[in-house]
Amino acid sequence: MFSRHYEKVIIGCCFLSIFVNVGLASTAFSVHQPYIVAIPGVGDTGGSLVLSARTLTSLLIMLVVDRYYRLLDVRRGVFVAALCTAAGFTAYSFAFNLPSFLAGAVLLGLGYGLGGMVSVTYLVNRWFSNGIGTVVGFVSMGSGLASIIMPLVVVRVIEAFSLSVAFRVEALVALALGVLVFALLRNRPSDMGLKPYEGKPGKTRTRKATQVGTVSKGEHAVLLVAMVCVGVFSCCGMTYMSVLATSSGFDTVFAATLVSIAGATLTGAKFVCGELFDHLGAPRASAVMFALAMVGFTLCCFAGLGNPVIMVCGALFVGMGLSLGTVGISVWSLDLSNPATREREVKNFQVAYASGGFIANTLPGIVKDLVGTYVVSYAAMVAVTAVAAIIVLRFYRKYVKNV
């Protein structure tokens, strides 16, 4: 009886894997940023370099992630990723200067790149024959849950003990959850004598996307540019929210609360976004979420006013729009590819997304040192989000038919 419903276990494993390798390593990590940039010899530019080292590592490793999973398959692959994440936090706990923080960032980048949405997209595509948007939306909530829980926990551990102790706690969490996922995860339904889950009668979702035209290499490159843009605003949106707040005069507790608010909203928005993709189709759902992100980034541009209500509203809308960084990327990569190239396209979309993350994590600290504020970077996010929306919606209108 238990094995017949093993798709639920797979959902749980995917959820926990994203909690560890995306949530701990990236989404919730921004709460550490004010403490890291305050370390002598690190500063704002050094803080950006730490984030950039993580995203550059994840970007480079994603270039071969399809081969990595062909070699290890998903079960062993995500376990190794969790070990890298745990090792990264352990390295951070002993870090005392910029080079030592960069070493920890490289390990976290390995965990993120190997154990992120690529592995989850593979698993969901294997284990589910429909309703994929909803499933992806739910499992990607793992990173949102991390951004709700971890900022408040981390700040309190830091204030009560130290930054090093907080990093060690996160290392233990990553290791424990990694072992649990390894014990329960199975690569394919056939490993359990099952077939891909089709859903309950009367509740199946039949939305499918089929290409109705030939996509040129140039058009495909433009589409990948949109994925880069999504990576830019998704990574910058929460990563720099706490330091945007503190540099605008808010205290660290309020800054951590903003990250938690955005994370809580992001958690629910991912599930809602998945439902919208399945029921409304990708074009309409994408348009809604792009619009919400633009509103959020616009509100963040008014951080200098010192109005906490504006910042809370900005965090809410940013959290909603950032669901495209997980749900949108995964669904687009499945919608806009054919079975023969699907695994490669999933990787390509994630590589483009990671490239955007690298850009986002590199520039804001440098811009802050040059112009004295993070607001300029958030203003740029409004424009970047608009560019991504135009490209994605145009592509669906021209090349894809939802049936």
Side-chain angles (χ1 to χ4, degrees):
M1 174 66 74
F2 179 71
S3 64
R4 291 209 307 268
H5 300 284
Y6 211 78
E7 77 282 346
K8 297 178 181 177
V9 177
I10 298 301
I11 290 176
C13 289
C14 291
F15 186 96
L16 293 178
S17 180
I18 293 300
F19 182 97
V20 170
N21 297 310
V22 177
L24 294 184
S26 177
T27 311
F29 193 81
S30 63
V31 71
H32 303 88
Q33 207 62 7
Y35 301 96
I36 293 175
V37 301
I39 295 173
V42 178
D44 290 298
T45 297
S48 285
L49 289 175
V50 170
L51 297 177
S52 297
R54 187 197 71 214
T55 52
L56 177 60
T57 302
S58 64
L59 169 61
L60 293 176
I61 201 66
M62 280 183 186
L63 295 173
V64 296
V65 72
D66 51 339
R67 299 177 184 178
Y68 170 80
Y69 280 112
R70 281 200 296 269
L71 178 64
L72 296 182
D73 218 332
V74 181
R75 180 170 179 253
R76 286 181 291 178
V78 297
F79 180 62
V80 171
L83 293 179
C84 291
T85 299
F89 280 111
T90 301
Y92 275 140
S93 72
F94 292 102
F96 60 92
N97 58 17
L98 181 56
S100 53
F101 272 106
L102 292 174
V106 169
L107 289 168
L108 279 194
L110 290 173
Y112 181 96
L114 297 175
M117 289 303 297
V118 172
S119 59
V120 166
T121 305
Y122 287 168
L123 282 169
V124 172
N125 193 50
R126 291 175 183 177
W127 276 85
F128 295 85
S129 61
N130 56 50
I132 288 176
T134 299
V135 177
V136 169
F138 178 80
V139 300
S140 64
M141 288 167 63
S143 61
L145 181 63
S147 67
I148 298 171
I149 297 174
M150 299 311 296
L152 298 178
V153 171
V154 167
V155 166
R156 281 160 176 76
V157 173
I158 293 173
E159 299 294 337
F161 300 100
S162 68
L163 181 62
S164 295
V165 171
F167 282 135
R168 287 167 194 164
V169 169
E170 291 174 279
L172 289 174
V173 171
L175 180 61
L177 294 181
V179 170
L180 178 61
V181 169
F182 181 73
L184 297 176
L185 186 63
R186 298 296 180 269
N187 290 309
R188 293 174 176 79
S190 57
D191 295 343
M192 304 289 294
L194 302 171
K195 295 181 179 180
Y197 184 69
E198 296 181 354
K200 296 179 180 179
K203 293 187 178 181
T204 57
R205 297 170 175 84
T206 57
R207 181 197 65 81
K208 295 180 181 179
T210 56
Q211 292 190 16
V212 295
T214 301
V215 182
S216 67
K217 290 183 178 180
E219 289 276 21
H220 185 264
V222 171
L223 182 61
L224 291 182
V225 168
M227 302 306 110
V228 172
C229 292
V230 174
V232 169
F233 75 72
S234 295
C235 293
C236 184
M238 286 186 63
T239 300
Y240 285 93
M241 184 168 290
S242 62
V243 76
L244 168 71
T246 55
S247 65
S248 299
F250 297 97
D251 61 45
T252 55
V253 173
F254 180 75
T257 302
L258 285 178
V259 177
S260 291
I261 290 171
T265 307
L266 175 61
T267 300
K270 286 179 179 179
F271 182 76
V272 173
C273 184
E275 288 280 323
L276 290 176
F277 268 85
D278 280 337
H279 291 292
L280 297 182
R284 291 189 182 93
S286 299
V288 170
M289 305 316 290
F290 276 125
L292 293 173
M294 292 178 67
V295 171
F297 288 126
T298 300
L299 290 174
C300 287
C301 291
F302 294 95
L305 296 179
N307 189 323
V309 175
I310 291 177
M311 292 303 295
V312 168
C313 291
L316 287 169
F317 282 103
V318 167
M320 294 177 196
L322 295 193
S323 58
L324 286 175
T326 47
V327 180
I329 294 287
S330 293
V331 174
W332 295 330
S333 66
L334 296 175
D335 275 359
L336 307 177
S337 61
N338 58 64
T341 63
R342 184 151 294 152
E343 289 197 357
R344 186 171 69 250
E345 284 303 295
V346 169
K347 179 201 74 172
N348 289 341
F349 275 50
Q350 292 293 337
V351 167
Y353 174 85
S355 299
F358 175 71
I359 295 170
N361 286 332
T362 302
L363 295 180
I366 298 173
V367 172
K368 164 64 166 58
D369 284 339
L370 291 174
V371 302
T373 179
Y374 284 99
V375 170
V376 172
S377 295
Y378 275 79
M381 293 307 103
V382 179
V384 168
T385 306
V387 170
I390 291 169
I391 294 173
V392 170
L393 298 180
R394 174 184 174 277
F395 196 94
Y396 267 98
R397 184 177 297 110
K398 185 174 181 180
Y399 290 108
V400 179
K401 177 181 179 182
N402 286 308
V403 296

mmCIF file of all heavy atoms in Angstrom, residues 232-261:
data_model
loop_
_atom_site.group_PDB
_atom_site.id
_atom_site.type_symbol
_atom_site.label_atom_id
_atom_site.label_comp_id
_atom_site.label_asym_id
_atom_site.label_seq_id
_atom_site.Cartn_x
_atom_site.Cartn_y
_atom_site.Cartn_z
ATOM 1 N N VAL A 232 18.858 37.128 -12.811
ATOM 2 C CA VAL A 232 19.307 38.398 -12.237
ATOM 3 C C VAL A 232 18.328 38.880 -11.174
ATOM 4 O O VAL A 232 18.702 39.148 -10.027
ATOM 5 C CB VAL A 232 19.481 39.467 -13.337
ATOM 6 C CG1 VAL A 232 19.674 40.844 -12.714
ATOM 7 C CG2 VAL A 232 20.672 39.122 -14.231
ATOM 8 N N PHE A 233 17.048 39.009 -11.543
ATOM 9 C CA PHE A 233 16.123 39.587 -10.564
ATOM 10 C C PHE A 233 15.768 38.609 -9.456
ATOM 11 O O PHE A 233 15.480 39.011 -8.321
ATOM 12 C CB PHE A 233 14.873 40.183 -11.235
ATOM 13 C CG PHE A 233 13.841 39.220 -11.740
ATOM 14 C CD1 PHE A 233 13.030 38.502 -10.883
ATOM 15 C CD2 PHE A 233 13.631 39.061 -13.114
ATOM 16 C CE1 PHE A 233 12.040 37.649 -11.355
ATOM 17 C CE2 PHE A 233 12.660 38.215 -13.602
ATOM 18 C CZ PHE A 233 11.863 37.497 -12.717
ATOM 19 N N SER A 234 15.812 37.303 -9.733
ATOM 20 C CA SER A 234 15.496 36.327 -8.688
ATOM 21 C C SER A 234 16.576 36.293 -7.619
ATOM 22 O O SER A 234 16.280 36.217 -6.418
ATOM 23 C CB SER A 234 15.323 34.933 -9.299
ATOM 24 O OG SER A 234 14.208 34.880 -10.154
ATOM 25 N N CYS A 235 17.828 36.332 -8.036
ATOM 26 C CA CYS A 235 18.924 36.251 -7.071
ATOM 27 C C CYS A 235 19.136 37.572 -6.344
ATOM 28 O O CYS A 235 19.406 37.595 -5.141
ATOM 29 C CB CYS A 235 20.203 35.817 -7.772
ATOM 30 S SG CYS A 235 20.127 34.123 -8.403
ATOM 31 N N CYS A 236 19.027 38.674 -7.044
ATOM 32 C CA CYS A 236 19.235 39.976 -6.406
ATOM 33 C C CYS A 236 18.088 40.315 -5.459
ATOM 34 O O CYS A 236 18.293 40.939 -4.421
ATOM 35 C CB CYS A 236 19.373 41.063 -7.467
ATOM 36 S SG CYS A 236 19.752 42.706 -6.815
ATOM 37 N N GLY A 237 16.881 39.887 -5.813
ATOM 38 C CA GLY A 237 15.688 40.295 -5.079
ATOM 39 C C GLY A 237 15.746 40.058 -3.592
ATOM 40 O O GLY A 237 15.478 40.960 -2.784
ATOM 41 N N MET A 238 16.106 38.843 -3.165
ATOM 42 C CA MET A 238 16.174 38.548 -1.742
ATOM 43 C C MET A 238 17.586 38.593 -1.184
ATOM 44 O O MET A 238 17.782 38.888 -0.007
ATOM 45 C CB MET A 238 15.543 37.181 -1.464
ATOM 46 C CG MET A 238 14.037 37.185 -1.543
ATOM 47 S SD MET A 238 13.290 35.626 -1.056
ATOM 48 C CE MET A 238 13.776 35.521 0.656
ATOM 49 N N THR A 239 18.577 38.308 -2.007
ATOM 50 C CA THR A 239 19.954 38.261 -1.520
ATOM 51 C C THR A 239 20.379 39.590 -0.913
ATOM 52 O O THR A 239 21.081 39.625 0.107
ATOM 53 C CB THR A 239 20.906 37.881 -2.655
ATOM 54 O OG1 THR A 239 20.541 36.595 -3.155
ATOM 55 C CG2 THR A 239 22.337 37.832 -2.183
ATOM 56 N N TYR A 240 19.951 40.684 -1.515
ATOM 57 C CA TYR A 240 20.380 42.008 -1.051
ATOM 58 C C TYR A 240 19.290 42.762 -0.290
ATOM 59 O O TYR A 240 19.476 43.930 0.045
ATOM 60 C CB TYR A 240 20.856 42.838 -2.243
ATOM 61 C CG TYR A 240 22.222 42.409 -2.729
ATOM 62 C CD1 TYR A 240 22.356 41.466 -3.743
ATOM 63 C CD2 TYR A 240 23.375 42.916 -2.150
ATOM 64 C CE1 TYR A 240 23.603 41.048 -4.170
ATOM 65 C CE2 TYR A 240 24.630 42.515 -2.576
ATOM 66 C CZ TYR A 240 24.743 41.582 -3.583
ATOM 67 O OH TYR A 240 25.976 41.173 -4.007
ATOM 68 N N MET A 241 18.187 42.082 0.018
ATOM 69 C CA MET A 241 17.097 42.790 0.683
ATOM 70 C C MET A 241 17.484 43.239 2.091
ATOM 71 O O MET A 241 17.187 44.368 2.505
ATOM 72 C CB MET A 241 15.847 41.912 0.737
ATOM 73 C CG MET A 241 14.642 42.621 1.341
ATOM 74 S SD MET A 241 13.112 41.732 1.085
ATOM 75 C CE MET A 241 12.887 41.946 -0.685
ATOM 76 N N SER A 242 18.154 42.363 2.848
ATOM 77 C CA SER A 242 18.499 42.737 4.219
ATOM 78 C C SER A 242 19.529 43.854 4.249
ATOM 79 O O SER A 242 19.429 44.789 5.048
ATOM 80 C CB SER A 242 19.010 41.518 4.996
ATOM 81 O OG SER A 242 20.186 41.000 4.404
ATOM 82 N N VAL A 243 20.529 43.780 3.363
ATOM 83 C CA VAL A 243 21.552 44.818 3.370
ATOM 84 C C VAL A 243 21.015 46.112 2.750
ATOM 85 O O VAL A 243 21.468 47.204 3.096
ATOM 86 C CB VAL A 243 22.829 44.310 2.656
ATOM 87 C CG1 VAL A 243 22.669 44.293 1.145
ATOM 88 C CG2 VAL A 243 24.044 45.117 3.063
ATOM 89 N N LEU A 244 20.038 46.030 1.846
ATOM 90 C CA LEU A 244 19.346 47.229 1.367
ATOM 91 C C LEU A 244 18.682 47.936 2.538
ATOM 92 O O LEU A 244 18.761 49.161 2.676
ATOM 93 C CB LEU A 244 18.295 46.859 0.320
ATOM 94 C CG LEU A 244 17.304 47.965 -0.070
ATOM 95 C CD1 LEU A 244 18.007 49.051 -0.894
ATOM 96 C CD2 LEU A 244 16.116 47.388 -0.854
ATOM 97 N N ALA A 245 18.035 47.148 3.403
ATOM 98 C CA ALA A 245 17.331 47.724 4.551
ATOM 99 C C ALA A 245 18.298 48.341 5.555
ATOM 100 O O ALA A 245 18.100 49.481 6.001
ATOM 101 C CB ALA A 245 16.471 46.659 5.218
ATOM 102 N N THR A 246 19.343 47.585 5.921
ATOM 103 C CA THR A 246 20.269 48.106 6.936
ATOM 104 C C THR A 246 21.029 49.332 6.421
ATOM 105 O O THR A 246 21.283 50.261 7.186
ATOM 106 C CB THR A 246 21.269 47.019 7.374
ATOM 107 O OG1 THR A 246 21.949 46.483 6.225
ATOM 108 C CG2 THR A 246 20.559 45.888 8.106
ATOM 109 N N SER A 247 21.374 49.343 5.146
ATOM 110 C CA SER A 247 22.089 50.503 4.594
ATOM 111 C C SER A 247 21.167 51.705 4.422
ATOM 112 O O SER A 247 21.632 52.821 4.189
ATOM 113 C CB SER A 247 22.725 50.142 3.245
ATOM 114 O OG SER A 247 21.736 49.857 2.270
ATOM 115 N N SER A 248 19.858 51.466 4.546
ATOM 116 C CA SER A 248 18.888 52.569 4.447
ATOM 117 C C SER A 248 18.416 53.033 5.824
ATOM 118 O O SER A 248 17.474 53.830 5.928
ATOM 119 C CB SER A 248 17.680 52.133 3.604
ATOM 120 O OG SER A 248 18.077 51.797 2.285
ATOM 121 N N GLY A 249 19.020 52.488 6.884
ATOM 122 C CA GLY A 249 18.717 52.968 8.229
ATOM 123 C C GLY A 249 17.885 52.054 9.095
ATOM 124 O O GLY A 249 17.637 52.358 10.266
ATOM 125 N N PHE A 250 17.434 50.913 8.572
ATOM 126 C CA PHE A 250 16.661 49.969 9.373
ATOM 127 C C PHE A 250 17.601 49.073 10.174
ATOM 128 O O PHE A 250 18.747 48.837 9.774
ATOM 129 C CB PHE A 250 15.770 49.113 8.470
ATOM 130 C CG PHE A 250 14.726 49.899 7.713
ATOM 131 C CD1 PHE A 250 14.951 50.292 6.399
ATOM 132 C CD2 PHE A 250 13.530 50.259 8.319
ATOM 133 C CE1 PHE A 250 14.000 51.023 5.696
ATOM 134 C CE2 PHE A 250 12.571 50.990 7.632
ATOM 135 C CZ PHE A 250 12.805 51.376 6.311
ATOM 136 N N ASP A 251 17.125 48.555 11.325
ATOM 137 C CA ASP A 251 17.983 47.700 12.138
ATOM 138 C C ASP A 251 18.028 46.277 11.586
ATOM 139 O O ASP A 251 17.234 45.904 10.710
ATOM 140 C CB ASP A 251 17.547 47.704 13.607
ATOM 141 C CG ASP A 251 16.133 47.180 13.819
ATOM 142 O OD1 ASP A 251 15.781 46.143 13.222
ATOM 143 O OD2 ASP A 251 15.382 47.792 14.599
ATOM 144 N N THR A 252 18.953 45.468 12.113
ATOM 145 C CA THR A 252 19.186 44.127 11.567
ATOM 146 C C THR A 252 18.002 43.192 11.797
ATOM 147 O O THR A 252 17.740 42.316 10.975
ATOM 148 C CB THR A 252 20.447 43.504 12.185
ATOM 149 O OG1 THR A 252 20.331 43.503 13.615
ATOM 150 C CG2 THR A 252 21.690 44.275 11.777
ATOM 151 N N VAL A 253 17.297 43.361 12.912
ATOM 152 C CA VAL A 253 16.141 42.493 13.180
ATOM 153 C C VAL A 253 15.034 42.761 12.173
ATOM 154 O O VAL A 253 14.421 41.829 11.633
ATOM 155 C CB VAL A 253 15.623 42.698 14.620
ATOM 156 C CG1 VAL A 253 14.325 41.913 14.840
ATOM 157 C CG2 VAL A 253 16.680 42.257 15.636
ATOM 158 N N PHE A 254 14.773 44.043 11.887
ATOM 159 C CA PHE A 254 13.761 44.369 10.881
ATOM 160 C C PHE A 254 14.191 43.879 9.505
ATOM 161 O O PHE A 254 13.372 43.380 8.729
ATOM 162 C CB PHE A 254 13.520 45.883 10.829
ATOM 163 C CG PHE A 254 12.487 46.295 9.810
ATOM 164 C CD1 PHE A 254 11.138 46.094 10.043
ATOM 165 C CD2 PHE A 254 12.867 46.868 8.604
ATOM 166 C CE1 PHE A 254 10.178 46.462 9.102
ATOM 167 C CE2 PHE A 254 11.930 47.242 7.661
ATOM 168 C CZ PHE A 254 10.574 47.037 7.908
ATOM 169 N N ALA A 255 15.488 43.999 9.201
ATOM 170 C CA ALA A 255 16.003 43.520 7.921
ATOM 171 C C ALA A 255 15.795 42.010 7.781
ATOM 172 O O ALA A 255 15.378 41.523 6.720
ATOM 173 C CB ALA A 255 17.484 43.865 7.783
ATOM 174 N N ALA A 256 16.083 41.262 8.857
ATOM 175 C CA ALA A 256 15.861 39.817 8.825
ATOM 176 C C ALA A 256 14.381 39.497 8.700
ATOM 177 O O ALA A 256 13.990 38.542 8.017
ATOM 178 C CB ALA A 256 16.431 39.178 10.088
ATOM 179 N N THR A 257 13.552 40.314 9.333
ATOM 180 C CA THR A 257 12.099 40.108 9.236
ATOM 181 C C THR A 257 11.622 40.305 7.805
ATOM 182 O O THR A 257 10.746 39.568 7.322
ATOM 183 C CB THR A 257 11.367 41.078 10.174
ATOM 184 O OG1 THR A 257 11.813 40.869 11.511
ATOM 185 C CG2 THR A 257 9.860 40.858 10.114
ATOM 186 N N LEU A 258 12.190 41.286 7.103
ATOM 187 C CA LEU A 258 11.823 41.504 5.699
ATOM 188 C C LEU A 258 12.131 40.269 4.857
ATOM 189 O O LEU A 258 11.322 39.857 4.014
ATOM 190 C CB LEU A 258 12.577 42.709 5.129
ATOM 191 C CG LEU A 258 12.118 44.099 5.536
ATOM 192 C CD1 LEU A 258 13.019 45.143 4.908
ATOM 193 C CD2 LEU A 258 10.660 44.334 5.146
ATOM 194 N N VAL A 259 13.306 39.684 5.086
ATOM 195 C CA VAL A 259 13.673 38.478 4.342
ATOM 196 C C VAL A 259 12.693 37.353 4.655
ATOM 197 O O VAL A 259 12.271 36.602 3.767
ATOM 198 C CB VAL A 259 15.109 38.042 4.675
ATOM 199 C CG1 VAL A 259 15.462 36.758 3.953
ATOM 200 C CG2 VAL A 259 16.094 39.141 4.278
ATOM 201 N N SER A 260 12.292 37.229 5.926
ATOM 202 C CA SER A 260 11.335 36.192 6.305
ATOM 203 C C SER A 260 9.965 36.437 5.683
ATOM 204 O O SER A 260 9.288 35.496 5.253
ATOM 205 C CB SER A 260 11.209 36.123 7.834
ATOM 206 O OG SER A 260 12.389 35.631 8.418
ATOM 207 N N ILE A 261 9.563 37.705 5.626
ATOM 208 C CA ILE A 261 8.279 38.039 4.996
ATOM 209 C C ILE A 261 8.308 37.678 3.513
ATOM 210 O O ILE A 261 7.366 37.055 2.986
ATOM 211 C CB ILE A 261 7.962 39.535 5.184
ATOM 212 C CG1 ILE A 261 7.621 39.831 6.644
ATOM 213 C CG2 ILE A 261 6.801 39.961 4.274
ATOM 214 C CD1 ILE A 261 7.504 41.311 6.952
#
